[in-house]
Amino acid sequence: MAQAKRPRLSSNGSDASSLPLFCGFELTEKKVISLPASLGPVSAVSAWPTGKAGHFTADSTADKHAVFAVGTSHGCIALVYSDESTVVLESSGSSAVLQLLAKDSSAPASAISDAKPVPDVVAGDADGQVLVYVLGRVFSRNTLPAPISTLSADLNPNMPSSFSVGDMSGTIASCHAQDTLWRAQLDMGSQALPVVPGGADQRAAARLLDPTVNSACSVWLSDNHGLLTSYVLAASARGFIQLLSRGIPVHTIPLSTPCTSVCPGVFVASDISRELPGSSYTQAIVGDRSGQLLVLDNFELVPYAQVEYPIARIFSLPLRAFVGHDGPDVVVCATLSDTIYVLHQRKIVATYSAAFWPSAVDIVADFPGIGPAIVLVEPEALAGKSSS
């Protein structure tokens, strides 16, 4: 089952002269949506409109439709609407769906009906296939060397239809529906990987040999001349993160613990974020297997927070999704447990226990009648239930 929890602000307002911090933040109003059992176990979910940092606008859900793309271990992909109706997309004959990305439709306006919206859907499967669906039909397919491990939207406004994709062989690529823009292999180059001492846990040693791209995102960083440049930030299971520009590695940061998730936004005050108040993704937040959260700001990692459990996925929502002004983004952190954390300005402002380990997680900025929501897929519900 997927569950949506509404974040609400308490009435205890903070000093208007300072950056607001959520106090008394709580998650309420659970809504459960049942899925047809014929879909099979749900293995991936992606919400649209996203509402994530870099995407949210006041009218982003003006049509009052929230859509969840769900993929299953049977290779089925369906759109689940907030009114609980379900539309199954064209069958592609693919294997288990591992990653999904719902995006604004790239179809011509003349081809879009006035009925319920049908976003573009990008799906990555266990065979390394990347399929792009437009208006519910397979528009294109590409293949990477190994099972797909991450999909993320490109936040470059000059390339609104492109996306980043990574696989379990360490391949990272930038694509759009028609073509692959570039492809690269994550590599530390001349920088040495952390040394595993003799007698160390063999699982830790094996992780150093795992080339999987755990996560990737698009981020804008300022160069020495103050000019913003778009990069893809990719996290390797081998214990480093790497910034790439058009497929060329430009900066690599070794980590003491492998990073499991990266997410763009603005999370801490900095010289860059102060100079560019309108920019919503000049930083990235990085989470690892030790539960540590770091912020990449101006090519450097700075501490953000520590949570109790290993981090599975990180999401960001702009403060404006909750209140009528801007500020540092709100962070939603899913862990390898039943606990979800909500953080703001380096502080944990809420925790939620789902009573199950979610098999897939996403967020939506404005679920009709609820507001900002966290979407959780319950394992046994994967076989026929979902919620929003």
Side-chain angles (χ1 to χ4, degrees), residues 43-57:
S43 50
V45 64
S46 180
W48 180 90
T50 66
K52 301 177 179 70
H55 291 280
F56 180 80
T57 60

Side-chain angles (χ1 to χ4, degrees), residues 209-279:
L209 302 177
D210 180 4
T212 298
V213 182
N214 281 339
S215 184
C217 72
S218 173
V219 64
W220 285 75
L221 298 177
S222 178
D223 62 17
N224 293 333
H225 305 287
L227 299 176
L228 283 178
T229 301
S230 176
Y231 298 94
V232 170
L233 174 64
S236 171
R238 297 181 69 195
F240 64 90
I241 57 175
Q242 192 164 71
L243 287 161
L244 302 98
S245 177
R246 299 182 181 179
I248 300 173
V250 297
H251 189 55
T252 302
I253 304 176
L255 303 171
S256 59
T257 305
C259 170
T260 51
S261 184
V262 295
C263 176
V266 174
F267 307 100
V268 297
S270 70
D271 293 340
I272 299 298
S273 63
R274 278 191 289 266
E275 292 171 6
L276 302 165
S279 181

Side-chain angles (χ1 to χ4, degrees), residues 39 41-44 70-77 92-100 123-131 133 146-149 168:
L39 291 179
V42 176
S43 50
V70 296
T72 75
S73 59
H74 296 169
C76 179
I77 299 173
S92 65
S94 67
S95 61
V97 177
L98 302 182
Q99 299 290 328
L100 279 179
D125 70 17
D127 291 333
Q129 289 192 101
V130 180
L131 298 104
Y133 291 80
I148 304 304
S149 55
M168 294 183 182

Side-chain angles (χ1 to χ4, degrees), residues 78-365:
L79 298 178
V80 182
Y81 291 86
S82 50
D83 63 1
E84 303 191 26
S85 61
T86 302
V87 175
V88 178
L89 303 189
E90 178 185 28
S91 175
S92 65
S94 67
S95 61
V97 177
L98 302 182
Q99 299 290 328
L100 279 179
L101 175 64
K103 304 166 70 273
D104 292 346
S105 178
S106 59
S110 59
I112 301 175
S113 69
D114 294 330
K116 293 177 180 177
V118 179
D120 288 358
V121 176
V122 183
D125 70 17
D127 291 333
Q129 289 192 101
V130 180
L131 298 104
V132 178
Y133 291 80
V134 177
L135 296 179
R137 295 185 175 274
V138 176
F139 181 81
S140 67
R141 70 178 69 208
N142 202 340
T143 304
L144 267 62
I148 304 304
S149 55
T150 183
L151 278 172
S152 62
D154 191 336
L155 300 182
N156 187 338
N158 299 318
M159 306 175 68
S161 63
S162 62
F163 55 91
S164 298
V165 55
D167 73 6
M168 294 183 182
S169 73
T171 300
I172 181 76
S174 178
C175 308
H176 55 64
Q178 293 80 16
D179 201 2
T180 299
L181 303 175
W182 55 258
R183 184 181 292 195
Q185 194 73 20
L186 287 190
D187 191 353
M188 285 286 286
S190 60
Q191 300 189 52
L193 286 167
V195 175
V196 178
D201 181 59
Q202 292 303 308
R203 288 176 298 176
R207 281 199 293 265
L208 297 181
L209 302 177
D210 180 4
T212 298
V213 182
N214 281 339
S215 184
C217 72
S218 173
V219 64
W220 285 75
L221 298 177
S222 178
D223 62 17
N224 293 333
H225 305 287
L227 299 176
L228 283 178
T229 301
S230 176
Y231 298 94
V232 170
L233 174 64
S236 171
R238 297 181 69 195
F240 64 90
I241 57 175
Q242 192 164 71
L243 287 161
L244 302 98
S245 177
R246 299 182 181 179
I248 300 173
V250 297
H251 189 55
T252 302
I253 304 176
L255 303 171
S256 59
T257 305
C259 170
T260 51
S261 184
V262 295
C263 176
V266 174
F267 307 100
V268 297
S270 70
D271 293 340
I272 299 298
S273 63
R274 278 191 289 266
E275 292 171 6
L276 302 165
S279 181
S280 54
Y281 36 89
T282 54
Q283 297 174 346
I285 195 161
V286 175
D288 66 24
R289 289 176 177 155
S290 71
Q292 181 178 213
L293 291 164
L294 305 166
V295 171
L296 179 68
D297 178 48
N298 197 24
F299 296 93
E300 295 182 353
L301 289 174
V302 296
Y304 184 79
Q306 178 76 42
V307 298
E308 184 176 355
Y309 301 103
I311 291 165
R313 290 288 304 275
I314 308 172
F315 306 93
S316 65
L317 278 169
L319 187 63
R320 186 168 290 276
F322 303 92
V323 295
H325 52 79
D326 293 318
D329 291 332
V330 176
V331 177
V332 178
C333 182
T335 65
L336 295 178
S337 73
D338 63 352
T339 302
I340 308 291
Y341 295 94
V342 180
L343 303 98
H344 188 234
Q345 294 198 89
R346 293 190 167 101
K347 296 183 182 297
I348 298 173
V349 296
T351 59
Y352 169 69
S353 178
F356 59 87
W357 284 31
S359 63
V361 184
D362 206 349
I363 59 173
V364 60

Side-chain angles (χ1 to χ4, degrees), residues 4-29:
K5 299 292 179 178
R6 178 183 180 181
R8 287 182 168 179
L9 300 180
S10 75
S11 58
N12 300 325
S14 57
D15 184 358
S17 64
S18 63
L19 290 175
L21 175 68
F22 293 150
C23 299
F25 185 102
E26 59 182 341
L27 300 168
T28 60
E29 299 193 26

